[in-house]
Amino acid sequence: MSTPMAPPQHPPPTAARRSPAGPLLGLVWAGAAAVVALWWQDTGSVVGAAGWLTGAGRITGLLSGYACAVLVGLMARVPLLERRIGSDRVARWHARAGRYTVCLLVAHVVLILAGYAAQDGFSILREAVSVVLDYPEMLKATAGTVLLFAVGITSMRAVRRRVRHEFWYYVHLLTYAAVFLAFGHQLALGADFTGNEMAQLAWYALYLGVAALVVWFRVLTPIRLNLRHRLRVEAVYEEAPGVLSVVMRGRRLDELGVLPGQFFRWRFLARGLRRTSTPYSLSAPPRQDRLRITVKALGDHSAAVSLLRPGTRVWAEGPYGSLTAERRTASKALLIAGGVGITPLRALFETLPGDVTLLYRARTAEDLALGGELEAVAQWRGARLLYALNGPQGQRPNLTSGSLRAAVPDIAERDVYLCGPHGLARELYEALRTAGVPDRRIHHESFEL
C-alpha cells in the first residue's frame, strides 16, 4: 500500500464545483416561509389572550413539525450533501436544526396548553392531562415528544462529553421513532390541515420523501455496498507509537467511486468494535482490491483496532467528505496536517495535481506517522515536505502568518487543505487568513464526533 502510483498528470486548474449549500439553504427557508404562509392564510381574527396563545402555539407547532423533517433529512447521509457540502458542515447544520427544533417544540407545548387552559378555564396541569388522554393521537405524540427531549438533552455538550459515544449514538437514533410517533397528531389535530387536502398532501410528501432518503441512503445503499465489495481486514501494522494502519481487501473496489481525501464510516465485526461505526479517512489512494486507513489510539474504539485479526469482516458506509481535488481552484496547493490529520492529506499529497507543499505538524520525529511514505512521495513527484516539530525542551513551533509566509512565500496564491485537531485547525485558519489566503481557498473538514 505504500508504493506510490504512476506519476499523476497535471492538468490546468479548473473552477471548483460550486457548492449547493446556498441553494439548499434557500430551499429550506422557502419551505419555512410556506409553512408560515399556510398558518397566516388559515388564521382569522385573534380575540383575547386565549386566541393569541393558541395562534402562537399553532405556528410553533407547524414550524417544529417542518423542522423535524429537515432534521431527519440532514441525517440521511445524502451524497449531494456529504460530498459536495462536507460531512462536518452538514453535521453543524444538523446540530443547529436540532436546537431550533427542541426550542420550537417547547414553545409549542407551553403555548398551546396555556391557550387551551385559558379557553377552557382550567389549570395548565389539568388541561395537559385532558389533552394527552382525551385527544386523538396525543398519547403517541407525547411519547415522541419525550424521546425528542431525551435526544436533545444527550446532545448537549456538557452531557455528551460525559457519556460514551455508543450511548449517544443509539439515543440519537430515537429521533426516527420520535418523528414517527408525533406525525399523526399533526394531521389529526392541526387546524391548518383540517379540510385542506392540498396541505395534507404536501405534508405527506415532505415526510415520505425524507423517509425515502433515509431508507435509500442509510439502509439500502450500505447493504448493496457491502454485499458487492465484501471487505475484510488483510493486515494491521504499526506506523508510529500508538498509530496503526489497517489494510482491507475487497472485490472491485475501483467501482466505489472514492476520491483521495474522502472517508468511510467503518464498523469492524469483531468483539468490542461491532457496535460502533466510526469515520476514518483513507490514508493512501484506493487500489483496485485494497483500501487503507491509519488510526491513532485516542479512545476505546481506536485503541481496540490493534486487536483486529486478518479475515475480520468489515461493514463500510461511504465514501463521504469533500476534502478532495474537486475543491482545487489554483495550480498550487499547501497541505497542512496536524497529528493523525495526516491521513487524508497523505492520499492527496500523492495525487493532487500541480505544485504541492505539505507541512506536517507533530510533537516529535517519532510521531510522524507515514513519514517514510511522505518522503518517498515528495522525492518521486518533486514536491516539498516540511515539518513543524516541538523543540528539544518541548516548546511548540510558532505557526503564525509570518512563519507560514516565510516557509511558503506564495501562500496567498495557493489552495490550502487543512486537517488536524480542532484547536490547531482554528489557530491555523486565523494565521492563513492573516497571511492573505482567501477564505474560499481554505479547505477544512473536521472529523470530531
Side-chain angles (χ1 to χ4, degrees), residues 356-423:
V356 179
T357 295
L358 172 62
L359 173 61
Y360 190 178
R361 165 76 180 103
R363 287 181 298 178
T364 66
E366 290 74 22
D367 294 320
L368 293 171
L370 310 174
E373 292 183 25
L374 297 172
E375 296 281 357
V377 171
Q379 183 176 9
W380 155 70
R381 65 173 295 169
R384 293 180 67 202
L385 178 59
L386 308 174
Y387 296 118
L389 305 177
N390 288 359
Q393 305 303 319
Q395 62 269 34
R396 290 168 53 89
N398 197 17
L399 295 177
T400 63
S401 58
S403 64
L404 290 174
R405 275 197 300 260
V408 188
D410 57 354
I411 189 171
E413 303 171 14
R414 294 175 177 260
D415 281 305
V416 179
Y417 289 78
L418 177 60
C419 190
H422 179 70

Side-chain angles (χ1 to χ4, degrees), residues 21 33 57 77 83 107 124 146 148 177 181 206 215 228 242 250-251 301-302 338 366 383 395 411 417-418 437:
R77 295 180 185 166
R83 303 179 193 178
I124 290 183
V146 171
L148 274 177
L181 290 169
L206 173 65
V215 171
R228 182 178 181 83
R251 304 185 306 181
H301 184 277
S302 53
E366 290 74 22
Q395 62 269 34
I411 189 171
Y417 289 78
L418 177 60
V437 182

Side-chain angles (χ1 to χ4, degrees), residues 88-172:
D88 61 335
R89 192 174 183 185
V90 173
R92 290 194 295 270
W93 287 0
H94 173 73
R96 191 173 301 146
R99 291 191 289 270
Y100 290 157
T101 302
V102 171
C103 290
L104 286 168
L105 185 58
V106 170
H108 167 63
V109 171
V110 172
L111 290 168
I112 206 73
L113 288 177
Y116 286 177
Q119 180 178 300
D120 297 336
F122 296 157
S123 68
I124 290 183
L125 179 60
R126 180 179 175 183
E127 190 67 43
V129 173
S130 174
V131 167
V132 171
L133 297 180
D134 300 334
Y135 284 48
E137 299 286 339
M138 275 307 302
L139 279 174
K140 291 193 296 183
T142 302
T145 300
V146 171
L147 290 179
L148 274 177
F149 284 155
V151 173
I153 291 171
T154 56
S155 297
M156 296 170 60
R157 289 184 180 180
V159 176
R160 190 172 174 182
R161 282 197 296 263
R162 290 171 171 77
V163 300
R164 293 173 61 88
H165 172 71
E166 292 84 355
F167 177 80
W168 170 86
Y169 175 78
Y170 287 112
V171 171
H172 215 64

Side-chain angles (χ1 to χ4, degrees), residues 108-383:
H108 167 63
V109 171
V110 172
L111 290 168
I112 206 73
L113 288 177
Y116 286 177
Q119 180 178 300
D120 297 336
F122 296 157
S123 68
I124 290 183
L125 179 60
R126 180 179 175 183
E127 190 67 43
V129 173
S130 174
V131 167
V132 171
L133 297 180
D134 300 334
Y135 284 48
E137 299 286 339
M138 275 307 302
L139 279 174
K140 291 193 296 183
T142 302
T145 300
V146 171
L147 290 179
L148 274 177
F149 284 155
V151 173
I153 291 171
T154 56
S155 297
M156 296 170 60
R157 289 184 180 180
V159 176
R160 190 172 174 182
R161 282 197 296 263
R162 290 171 171 77
V163 300
R164 293 173 61 88
H165 172 71
E166 292 84 355
F167 177 80
W168 170 86
Y169 175 78
Y170 287 112
V171 171
H172 215 64
L173 289 180
L174 293 175
T175 302
Y176 297 125
V179 173
F180 173 77
L181 290 169
F183 178 76
H185 95 286
Q186 298 177 60
L187 298 180
L189 299 175
D192 302 282
F193 296 110
T194 303
N196 190 336
E197 187 173 334
M198 288 299 297
Q200 293 178 26
L201 289 174
W203 215 245
Y204 271 115
L206 173 65
Y207 273 77
L208 289 176
V210 167
L213 291 177
V214 171
V215 171
W216 184 262
F217 291 113
R218 293 207 64 162
V219 180
L220 299 181
T221 298
I223 290 175
R224 178 182 180 275
L225 182 154
N226 288 280
L227 290 178
R228 182 178 181 83
H229 300 289
R230 299 184 179 275
L231 287 163
R232 289 183 181 271
V233 173
E234 181 177 77
V236 180
Y237 52 89
E238 188 176 61
E239 298 282 3
V243 179
L244 300 168
S245 279
V246 181
V247 179
M248 287 157 284
R249 178 184 287 271
R251 304 185 306 181
R252 297 178 289 186
L253 298 183
D254 55 323
E255 298 175 9
L256 279 171
V258 58
L259 299 175
Q262 290 188 308
F263 68 95
F264 288 79
R265 296 179 187 272
W266 306 94
R267 188 186 302 273
F268 298 101
L269 304 184
R271 185 176 180 180
L273 292 170
R274 66 176 68 245
R275 293 184 179 181
T276 305
S277 175
T278 304
Y280 295 122
S281 298
L282 296 183
S283 60
R287 305 294 192 251
Q288 185 174 4
D289 61 347
R290 289 181 178 86
L291 300 174
R292 187 186 74 180
I293 60 173
T294 300
V295 180
K296 184 175 179 63
L298 297 173
D300 293 342
H301 184 277
S302 53
V305 168
S306 63
L307 304 177
L308 287 174
R309 295 294 176 260
T312 301
R313 294 177 59 189
V314 181
W315 184 272
E317 298 177 34
Y320 302 125
S322 61
L323 199 69
T324 68
E326 291 184 343
R327 300 177 73 170
R328 182 178 63 116
T329 61
S331 60
K332 296 181 283 189
L334 170 63
L335 315 180
I336 307 180
V340 79
I342 189 61
T343 52
L345 301 190
R346 153 66 182 91
L348 282 172
F349 190 47
E350 182 173 329
T351 59
L352 194 66
D355 179 346
V356 179
T357 295
L358 172 62
L359 173 61
Y360 190 178
R361 165 76 180 103
R363 287 181 298 178
T364 66
E366 290 74 22
D367 294 320
L368 293 171
L370 310 174
E373 292 183 25
L374 297 172
E375 296 281 357
V377 171
Q379 183 176 9
W380 155 70
R381 65 173 295 169

